[in-house]
Amino acid sequence: MRLTPLVSAALILPAALSLLAPARASAQVLDQDPISYVSKADYFSIDFPAEPKVTDITYPDEYRITLPGRVYTSTVGKSRYTVTVIDYRDAQKIHAVRNAKCMEDAGANKPGLTAQQRHDAVGDACQDEGVKDIRGAMMYAAWNIIQKSTKVTHLAYYNSDLIEGYEVHVNNPDDTKTYAVIHMYENRLYIAQADVPKNAPAANWFQISIQFLDDQFKPVRYTYSGLMIYSNGYPKPPRAGQNGQAGGRAAPAPGQPAQ
C-alpha cells in the first residue's frame, strides 16, 4: 500500500520539472540583471544582457545605394542580441545625385530638348527612387530576415510607444530562432533582433524594451489621434505628456540595471 504515494510522486515529478524548465532556461540565458543601454549616437535605448560591442557597417539597401550604419552586439552563451541602425537621412540626396548622373549620361539634360525628347532619351531608366526606398525600408529589412529562414512563425504590424513597425519571428537553417522588431524613426532604420538556440525561451523581453530618444535623449512616446500613430515621414501624432495626456516610460540611466 505504501508504494502508491511513491508511484504518484514518480509521475508528478517529471511534470513539475517540465514546468520549471522555462524558468530555469531564462535564468541560464540571463544570470544577471540586463543593462539599460543608451546610444546617444543613434538615439535609442534598450535592455542588453551585457555591454554591447559597437561596429560600424555599410548597408546595401533595396534600391542599390549604400548607407552607413552601426551594429550593437551582446552575446550570452549561444544567444546573440543585436540592434542594427541604418542611417537613411541622406538617402534621398544620394538618389537625386544618381538620377542626375543617369540623365546626364543619357544626354537627357542637353539644352533645347523638349520634355518628350528628355523622356524618350531615358525612358524609365532614370527614376528617382528615394521616397520608395525610405518608405519600403522596414519591409526590406523584414524580407532579409524571412528569406534566410526555414519557417516564419509570426509576422505582424507592431508598435513601440506608438511608433509603428513590424514584428518577425522565424526558425533558421541552423536551428536557431530569431525574434525581431523593425522600426523606422526620424529616417533611421532600427532592427532589434535576438537569435537564440532552438529550445531556449522566447526572447521577446529584448525587443519590447527598445525606446527611441528625442534630441534631448529623452524617451519618445506618442498617443493615438484617431487611427494615427507615428509613421516615418508623415505628420506626428501628439506626444504623451502633452495636453493632459499620460506620460511615457521613464528615461533609462546609461549603464544602470534595467527596472
Side-chain angles (χ1 to χ4, degrees), residues 108-246:
N109 59 352
K110 292 179 181 179
L113 294 182
T114 65
Q116 184 61 50
Q117 288 172 326
R118 294 183 194 281
H119 180 269
D120 291 342
V122 297
D124 294 331
C126 299
Q127 296 188 40
D128 188 340
E129 297 167 318
V131 172
K132 290 189 291 184
D133 201 359
I134 295 172
R135 293 297 301 166
M138 290 193 300
M139 180 66 74
Y140 184 62
W143 168 244
N144 282 335
I145 294 172
I146 290 169
Q147 59 101 10
K148 296 174 184 177
S149 70
T150 55
K151 182 179 181 180
V152 179
T153 58
H154 182 73
L155 177 62
Y157 185 79
Y158 180 83
N159 79 77
S160 177
D161 293 325
L162 271 71
I163 296 169
E164 73 173 358
Y166 300 143
E167 183 176 24
V168 186
H169 301 173
V170 300
N171 298 339
N172 301 306
D174 62 357
D175 282 338
T176 61
K177 293 185 177 184
T178 293
Y179 300 86
V181 291
I182 301 162
H183 296 274
M184 194 77 170
Y185 186 69
E186 299 296 287
N187 285 334
R188 288 184 176 91
L189 175 69
Y190 296 85
I191 307 165
Q193 177 173 331
D195 300 296
V196 300
K198 179 179 181 180
N199 295 321
N204 308 66
W205 65 268
F206 177 65
Q207 63 195 47
I208 65 174
S209 69
I210 194 167
Q211 292 183 274
F212 304 98
L213 310 179
D214 62 18
D215 56 5
Q216 301 298 312
F217 306 111
K218 295 180 179 179
V220 175
R221 180 175 175 81
Y222 293 96
T223 59
Y224 286 107
S225 178
L227 293 176
M228 181 190 293
I229 66 173
Y230 178 92
S231 182
N232 187 67
Y234 283 80
K236 299 177 183 179
R239 279 184 66 167
Q242 297 176 347
N243 301 323
Q245 298 285 351

Side-chain angles (χ1 to χ4, degrees), residues 24-93:
R24 288 180 178 176
S26 297
Q28 290 171 357
V29 171
L30 292 180
D31 57 2
Q32 61 184 20
D33 289 335
I35 296 170
S36 288
Y37 181 84
V38 175
S39 169
K40 290 189 174 181
D42 288 315
Y43 295 88
F44 76 93
S45 69
I46 200 167
D47 293 350
F48 274 111
E51 190 76 14
K53 176 184 177 182
V54 184
T55 306
D56 292 328
I57 64 167
T58 55
Y59 180 79
D61 79 350
E62 182 176 11
Y63 288 92
R64 306 173 306 283
I65 66 172
T66 301
L67 299 170
R70 294 183 187 87
V71 179
Y72 300 75
T73 306
S74 180
T75 302
V76 177
K78 295 182 179 180
S79 297
R80 182 170 174 265
Y81 304 85
T82 61
V83 177
T84 302
V85 184
I86 307 300
D87 190 346
Y88 273 79
R89 289 175 298 170
D90 288 333
Q92 284 187 279
K93 292 180 182 178

